[in-house]
Amino acid sequence: MILSFDDCEIDLERREFRRAGIAVHVEPQVFDLLAYLAQNGDRVVSKDEIFASVWEGRIVSDSTLTSRINAARKVIGDSGKEQRVIRTVARKGMRFVGDVKMQPDRHEPADVMNSRPDATDGPTRAALQLPDRPAIAVLPFVNMSGDLEQEYFPTASARTSLPACRSCAGSS
């Protein structure tokens, strides 16, 4: 899901913030704060709610919240004086007053999910989506030759008569 307002975009799936189409580095807590405020722009969000959501209930000082709000305002081109997007409501909390538009992630093919199977082609398979981050597959090793097992894992009696390695075999 992408939240867009003014010339800014918050890509929730990729955890990216873009301004004028250019990715801008945003601290993780500032990103989470912006995303939470933008998603709840229809109401005033209390400090306790922000602490519970962004800091997951950890004890955080009010000055930490203030610094993250200032950083969020700075990244979107707002200020504490103007408060054109993030507004402070005295003794109540914060409110995101920007016009937020929610749009599906443009990186996912929408036509694959909405396509219907065609009678001539058989059932349609959903496209394989690759993960956004590296992945490791662990597969079992199966020794199919049989003779390698005897060569590299000899019985205890044969172990004493074998050289330590193949290159040493001709030297003794």
Side-chain angles (χ1 to χ4, degrees):
M1 179 69 58
I2 297 175
L3 307 173
S4 62
F5 57 95
D6 295 342
D7 64 342
C8 302
E9 290 182 339
I10 301 171
D11 190 333
L12 298 175
E13 299 297 320
R14 294 178 180 257
R15 291 193 55 84
E16 286 181 351
F17 178 82
R18 292 182 289 274
R19 187 150 184 216
I22 299 170
V24 177
H25 172 74
V26 178
E27 296 293 325
Q29 290 175 346
V30 175
F31 180 88
D32 292 340
L33 176 65
L34 268 173
Y36 188 75
L37 290 174
Q39 288 173 320
N40 294 285
D42 58 333
R43 61 190 179 86
V44 174
V45 178
S46 71
K47 287 192 309 185
D48 291 336
E49 230 181 304
I50 294 170
F51 288 141
S53 156
V54 176
W55 284 274
E56 298 172 348
R58 288 176 289 187
I59 298 172
V60 180
S61 67
D62 287 345
S63 63
T64 300
L65 175 60
T66 303
S67 75
R68 298 309 185 276
I69 290 171
N70 288 337
R73 283 181 173 143
K74 184 177 180 180
V75 80
I76 62 175
D78 198 0
S79 70
K81 191 178 234 182
E82 290 179 18
Q83 296 189 14
R84 62 179 184 76
V85 179
I86 300 175
R87 197 162 288 158
T88 302
V89 180
R91 293 176 295 284
K92 298 291 180 190
M94 310 300 297
R95 175 132 189 248
F96 196 91
V97 294
D99 184 25
V100 179
K101 294 178 183 82
M102 293 186 188
Q103 45 190 310
D105 190 356
R106 64 175 154 236
H107 304 290
E108 293 182 20
D111 57 341
V112 172
M113 300 307 287
N114 296 330
S115 63
R116 293 180 13 181
D118 190 338
T120 58
D121 295 339
T124 304
R125 293 184 184 183
L128 176 65
Q129 288 186 332
L130 297 177
D132 288 340
R133 58 186 186 273
I136 297 174
V138 179
L139 302 173
F141 176 77
V142 177
N143 183 0
M144 298 177 71
S145 66
D147 61 340
L148 287 176
E149 185 173 275
Q150 290 300 315
E151 185 176 340
Y152 290 108
F153 302 104
T155 61
S157 61
R159 207 175 281 160
T160 56
S161 64
L162 290 176
C165 63
R166 288 184 180 206
S167 62
C168 301
S171 63
S172 54

